[in-house]
Amino acid sequence: MLAELVKTLTTAQNRDLIDRGIPSSRLSEWKHGRGLPPISALPDLAEVTGTRFEDLARDLAILTARDSSRKRIESMLGKAVAAGVAVMLVICGIVGSAQLAGPSGLFRRR
């Protein structure tokens, strides 16, 4: 609801929010999905759009939790990839005397 609401703000609503102190650059970020409104902006957003503050706050909490989970997963995947690379480097070190030879043969002794 919050993300859709921000994306569909009218020109008049944008002007009203700007008059209330929300920078137009911030509104643009929200409209293009590059950020979420802070909790401090929700009362103005609720009043301008005729939406209940509680509904916007609930949606913000849900979206924030999803973003936090996504970042944790990305972090874990990054660590898993780094661990995989480390294992490959160890394997290459163990093989040591073998070298990758290209299409003519996978490994060739030096």
Side-chain angles (χ1 to χ4, degrees), residues 3 5 14-15 29 38 50 53 55 59 61 65 70 77 79-80 102 104:
L5 180 71
N14 277 331
R15 249 190 318 252
E29 288 175 7
F53 169 82
D55 294 337
D59 283 356
R70 180 185 54 79
L77 286 174
K79 290 175 184 173
S104 61

Side-chain angles (χ1 to χ4, degrees), residues 36 61-74:
L36 295 169
I62 290 168
L63 291 170
T64 302
R66 285 181 188 158
D67 189 51
S68 177
S69 294
R70 180 185 54 79
K71 287 179 182 173
R72 271 196 315 269
I73 290 169
E74 287 174 352

Side-chain angles (χ1 to χ4, degrees), residues 11-74:
T11 303
Q13 289 170 327
N14 277 331
R15 249 190 318 252
D16 196 356
L17 290 167
I18 291 168
D19 290 345
R20 292 168 183 251
I22 298 174
S24 60
S25 60
R26 188 70 55 181
L27 291 171
S28 178
E29 288 175 7
W30 302 343
K31 277 190 167 217
H32 294 96
R34 292 190 302 265
L36 295 169
I39 191 83
S40 61
L42 295 188
D44 289 329
L45 195 56
E47 190 174 329
V48 166
T49 60
T51 308
R52 289 175 12 116
F53 169 82
E54 294 81 8
D55 294 337
L56 296 179
R58 183 195 69 235
D59 283 356
L60 180 61
I62 290 168
L63 291 170
T64 302
R66 285 181 188 158
D67 189 51
S68 177
S69 294
R70 180 185 54 79
K71 287 179 182 173
R72 271 196 315 269
I73 290 169
E74 287 174 352

